[in-house]
Amino acid sequence: MHDPLHQFEIHSLIPLKLEGVDISFTNSSLFMVLTVALITIFLVGGMSRGKLIPGRWQSLVEMMYGFVANLLDETAGFKGRAYFPFIFSLFMFILMGNLIGMIPYGFTFTSHIIVTFGLAMIAFCTATLVGFIRHGFRYLTLFVPQGAPFYMLPLIVPIEILSYLSRPISLSVRLFANMMAGHTMLKVFAGFTVILGVFGIAPLAVNTVLTAFELLVAVLQAYVFTILTCIYLHDAIHLH
Amino acid sequence: MPQLDVTTFPSQLFWLGVCFLTLYGILYYVALPKVARVLESREKTLEEKINKASLYREEAETLLAEYEAALARARSESQEKSRAMARAVSSELAHRQKEFLGKISDRLRMGEQELFRARLETGSHVKEVSRDVAQVILEKITGRPYSLEELEK
């Protein structure tokens, strides 16, 4: 039986080294590049004709655009509009990365903790930078909740700081764990199907249901990641 | 667990950075402005059409108002005319009536004169007849004729 974790293995395709650090082009990198290429084709191809009355493809692109714009407007408010390209990139990258991983023999780069952590750090650093650029050192008042009694501050402020710093961790672990668990489970049931022969029909049925469920998770996790980033941006823009 | 292989981290992070930055660049400079342009032009077109539609509606409303005004004018004119006609007819009628009444009263007067004359005539006749009758009666009683002069006495 195949190791269910085999699918997460990374192997170098083009060995590269920069200042002694291994930055080889791996299968993970390949799928990231594919994701970027697919998103570009999807968006640019869909809007290439830019018709007044959109066709199916163009409608899909516009729906995506409208969906993310709406999400950002609702969570981060009007001032969040400036960060729309960033949020949209984040959403599309994670969504496409999750979906591309659903293709058999594909690779899911969002099932690697270091990738999701990198993405979470991008979101976290952007939000923090926005906060400091907009408010300067007043941004630190984010850690002092309004209306908290004075004597509680020594307790509350460290908790707030801790919760703020744990944001990228919770973001990355959530996405990573969801993607890895789902894909591992799919692989395990697929292994059962192979082993059981004729009776493999039962795990195959389960796998079919799980695949649909995984598609839902793929979209949902991209959505969750994006909406949380929007909320962090809201904090950075409005402080409270 | 391959995810915990630290030796792959630099490569993963490096390519993630490259890919995400590339994607951001493409979306920021190419893809999203395109979408925004299309959406804007659609909004503009819609606005234009709506404006045009409201313009047409206003035009239609003014036309309707003009039509109603013309209709009201025509109606009042026709009423005026019919009233004038009615007045003319009634005055004609009154004139004719007067004429007719005049004729009737002329005839009446003529008839009365005739009647009067006839009565006068009848009165003179009665006198002659009564004289003749008296003459005949006297002749029968007295046995002799009486002249008219005697009778007058």
Side-chain angles (χ1 to χ4, degrees):
Chain A
M1 184 183 165
H2 252 295
D3 177 9
L5 298 182
H6 173 75
Q7 56 174 325
F8 303 120
E9 262 167 29
I10 283 174
H11 35 86
S12 171
L13 300 175
I14 306 166
L16 277 174
K17 264 191 194 290
L18 185 77
E19 311 246 339
V21 181
D22 180 30
I23 52 157
S24 303
F25 189 80
T26 61
N27 51 345
S28 162
S29 321
L30 175 68
F31 274 89
M32 286 184 204
V33 172
L34 263 177
T35 298
V36 172
L38 269 178
I39 295 170
T40 309
I41 290 169
F42 170 64
L43 293 179
V44 176
M47 298 311 285
S48 63
R49 270 178 278 172
K51 283 185 291 191
L52 186 69
I53 296 157
R56 283 181 215 174
W57 191 354
Q58 195 184 328
S59 295
L60 208 57
V61 175
E62 284 174 12
M63 266 160 65
M64 284 286 193
Y65 186 98
F67 174 70
V68 178
N70 210 23
L71 184 72
L72 185 61
D73 261 16
E74 273 170 16
T75 45
F78 179 73
K79 285 181 189 162
R81 289 253 172 98
Y83 312 105
F84 176 71
F86 173 69
I87 295 292
F88 194 72
S89 309
L90 203 60
F91 178 70
M92 287 309 284
F93 192 66
I94 297 172
L95 179 67
M96 201 60 96
N98 289 348
L99 288 178
I100 221 174
M102 290 304 298
I103 299 169
Y105 296 103
F107 180 86
T108 324
F109 58 79
T110 43
S111 66
H112 272 255
I113 181 72
I114 188 65
V115 176
T116 58
F117 185 69
L119 282 168
M121 279 313 280
I122 292 174
F124 177 75
C125 290
T126 307
T128 309
L129 268 175
V130 166
F132 274 114
I133 289 169
R134 281 189 172 256
H135 303 288
F137 281 102
R138 261 174 21 91
Y139 184 51
L140 292 176
T141 61
L142 186 69
F143 301 127
V144 186
Q146 280 167 332
F150 180 72
Y151 52 88
M152 287 293 280
L153 286 185
L155 189 63
I156 287 176
V157 170
I159 291 175
E160 287 282 324
I161 292 174
L162 206 66
S163 83
Y164 188 79
L165 291 179
S166 66
R167 279 173 175 183
I169 297 168
S170 70
L171 259 187
S172 55
V173 169
R174 184 181 302 110
L175 179 56
F176 152 72
N178 269 291
M179 296 322 290
M180 194 194 75
H183 281 73
T184 309
M185 196 142 73
L186 281 180
K187 234 351 185 304
V188 168
F189 277 96
F192 286 164
T193 310
V194 174
I195 289 169
L196 289 177
V198 182
F199 301 105
I201 192 92
L204 184 67
V206 174
N207 233 4
T208 311
V209 176
L210 275 183
T211 304
F213 182 68
E214 272 307 292
L215 280 171
L216 174 74
V217 170
V219 177
L220 196 69
Q221 287 305 318
Y223 173 73
V224 168
F225 198 101
T226 314
I227 202 167
L228 283 172
T229 308
C230 287
I231 289 169
Y232 300 159
L233 263 178
H234 173 267
D235 281 351
I237 295 167
H238 303 282
L239 276 183
H240 277 292
Chain B
M1 214 165 137
Q3 279 94 334
L4 299 178
D5 182 4
V6 183
T7 55
T8 65
F9 283 10
S11 147
Q12 297 241 62
L13 282 180
F14 173 77
W15 286 103
L16 171 67
V18 169
C19 290
F20 190 75
L21 272 181
T22 314
L23 179 68
Y24 183 76
I26 291 171
L27 292 201
Y28 188 82
Y29 290 106
V30 185
L32 294 183
K34 211 165 193 170
V35 180
R37 222 178 301 129
V38 169
L39 291 184
E40 244 166 62
S41 80
R42 176 176 308 150
E43 212 163 286
K44 210 186 289 169
T45 314
L46 277 184
E47 210 171 296
E48 265 170 33
K49 300 252 164 163
I50 287 171
N51 280 347
K52 216 183 255 181
S54 66
L55 207 73
Y56 282 149
R57 202 184 42 215
E58 269 168 35
E59 236 169 74
E61 271 167 13
T62 48
L63 274 181
L64 187 68
E66 268 171 33
Y67 162 75
E68 269 170 7
L71 198 67
R73 217 181 309 124
R75 199 175 288 142
S76 68
E77 236 168 70
S78 75
Q79 269 174 351
E80 192 79 25
K81 266 187 192 163
S82 68
R83 224 177 287 135
M85 192 74 89
R87 227 182 291 128
V89 168
S90 65
S91 72
E92 174 78 18
L93 205 65
H95 182 69
R96 290 250 178 102
Q97 215 166 6
K98 216 189 276 171
E99 228 176 41
F100 183 66
L101 279 176
K103 262 185 206 166
I104 285 188
S105 61
D106 277 358
R107 287 259 176 91
L108 212 61
R109 221 177 298 125
M110 256 153 57
E112 270 171 10
Q113 276 173 1
E114 228 158 274
L115 201 65
F116 186 65
R117 211 181 307 134
R119 208 184 280 154
L120 281 183
E121 265 175 33
T122 333
S124 61
H125 277 300
V126 166
K127 220 177 181 176
E128 269 174 39
V129 169
S130 62
R131 203 175 42 213
D132 286 347
V133 169
Q135 200 175 8
V136 170
I137 291 173
L138 280 177
E139 247 180 41
K140 287 264 168 84
I141 294 172
T142 54
R144 62 153 184 119
Y146 280 82
S147 63
L148 280 177
E149 289 80 25
E150 276 170 316
L151 270 177
E152 297 281 330
K153 283 179 215 169

